[in-house]
Amino acid sequence: MKRPSGRAADQLRSIRITRNYTKHAEGSVLVEFGDTKVICTVSVESGVPRFLKGQGQGWLTAEYGMLPRATGERNQREASRGKQGGRTLEIQRLIGRSLRAALDMSKLGENTLYVDCDVVQADGGTRTASITGAMVALIDALKVLKKRGALKGEPLKQMIAAVSVGIYQGEPVLDLDYLEDSAAETDLNVVMTNAGGFIEVQGTAEGAPFQPEEFNAMLALAQKGMNEIFELQKAALVD
């Protein structure tokens, strides 16, 4: 089996995390997984949704979108269609769930963190890149809240990152690009903590069902890749 990119089965794409990518947001990152590029911003607003008012805790919510020419053919903006698609809703909910797992909401004060992940170029793994990059932007936004004296303690519980794995031409591979993703027999998106715990595993067999030993092999690949990604996040956050 030869991967289209020439990478080894357990090799990540080249990953870059560029902080302070935009001027106005409390936290902003350009994250690149190979040719996949996502701008992740975290904005802070005072106040919380109605269902949390008076409880003394904060909230985090996420939105995800793709620019019209992020892919090989132009896609119509969802705003012009009047509603978001099912894929968009699924991904932004995943991003929100994943990042909320990094925080102790009771320490945020009554503040809301808005995470926006905008894909400027897609080549597979946009949701996993979004989670990985948004985590770094979230750290910078928390630093701003701390400087403002708006926190009630240290809200960060753990770091979160994500990566894709799959079965391509019968073999488990790490960090699928579009050519692999579109032809994979199995595709998994794995979200983990830096302590090695799993936040979420999304898996689908596109062809034949995958077997327990294949599932375990994919999880082992994800863990290996995630250890490297956490080191890249850590390096990116060095001031």
Side-chain angles (χ1 to χ4, degrees), residues 194-229:
N194 60 333
F198 291 95
I199 298 298
E200 189 148 349
V201 178
Q202 296 182 332
T204 304
E206 301 289 351
F210 56 91
Q211 301 303 312
E213 59 271 19
E214 293 176 315
F215 182 59
N216 290 334
M218 287 186 284
L219 289 183
L221 275 182
Q223 288 176 301
K224 177 185 181 297
M226 212 76 73
N227 289 336
E228 297 176 40
I229 292 171

Side-chain angles (χ1 to χ4, degrees), residues 1-219:
M1 187 275 296
K2 184 176 181 181
R3 303 182 71 176
S5 62
R7 288 181 287 142
D10 64 349
Q11 185 178 356
L12 293 165
R13 290 176 284 181
S14 174
I15 297 175
R16 294 179 61 191
I17 301 172
T18 305
R19 289 167 63 205
N20 304 314
Y21 192 71
T22 65
K23 178 179 179 180
H24 300 294
E26 281 80 2
S28 66
V29 156
L30 171 67
V31 60
E32 302 169 77
F33 275 52
D35 285 335
T36 288
K37 305 176 190 292
V38 186
I39 298 174
C40 306
T41 59
V42 180
S43 305
V44 177
E45 287 190 13
S46 179
V48 291
R50 186 177 301 173
F51 71 91
L52 286 175
K53 284 190 176 180
Q55 297 185 31
Q57 69 177 66
W59 185 243
L60 179 148
T61 188
E63 293 187 16
Y64 166 95
M66 297 180 69
L67 296 187
R69 204 53 210 273
T71 56
E73 296 181 358
R74 185 185 186 276
N75 292 309
Q76 186 180 12
R77 294 183 192 272
E78 290 182 321
S80 67
R81 296 200 299 264
K83 65 176 182 178
Q84 292 178 305
R87 177 181 179 274
T88 297
L89 291 169
E90 175 211 344
I91 291 175
Q92 64 190 30
R93 287 167 182 162
L94 171 66
I95 295 168
R97 287 194 304 271
S98 300
L99 295 177
R100 284 193 292 272
L103 300 175
D104 179 348
M105 296 295 174
S106 69
K107 303 292 179 60
L108 272 180
E110 292 205 354
N111 297 290
T112 298
L113 301 168
Y114 291 93
V115 179
D116 289 288
C117 298
D118 293 287
V119 179
V120 296
Q121 186 168 282
D123 187 37
T126 60
R127 72 188 70 193
T128 53
S130 294
I131 291 167
T132 300
M135 183 70 239
V136 175
L138 176 59
I139 297 294
D140 281 335
L142 292 176
K143 290 178 181 177
V144 172
L145 276 172
K146 186 175 182 179
K147 287 180 182 178
R148 294 176 182 172
L151 298 177
K152 296 164 64 177
E154 174 52 67
L156 184 66
K157 296 192 298 184
Q158 54 204 354
M159 292 293 289
I160 302 294
V163 75
S164 65
V165 287
I167 304 291
Y168 176 72
Q169 294 187 1
E171 291 190 29
V173 293
L174 174 67
D175 191 18
L176 284 69
D177 59 26
Y178 177 74
L179 289 176
E180 293 171 328
D181 188 35
S182 60
E185 294 102 81
T186 299
D187 181 21
L188 263 66
N189 296 297
V190 183
V191 186
M192 294 182 67
T193 74
N194 60 333
F198 291 95
I199 298 298
E200 189 148 349
V201 178
Q202 296 182 332
T204 304
E206 301 289 351
F210 56 91
Q211 301 303 312
E213 59 271 19
E214 293 176 315
F215 182 59
N216 290 334
M218 287 186 284
L219 289 183

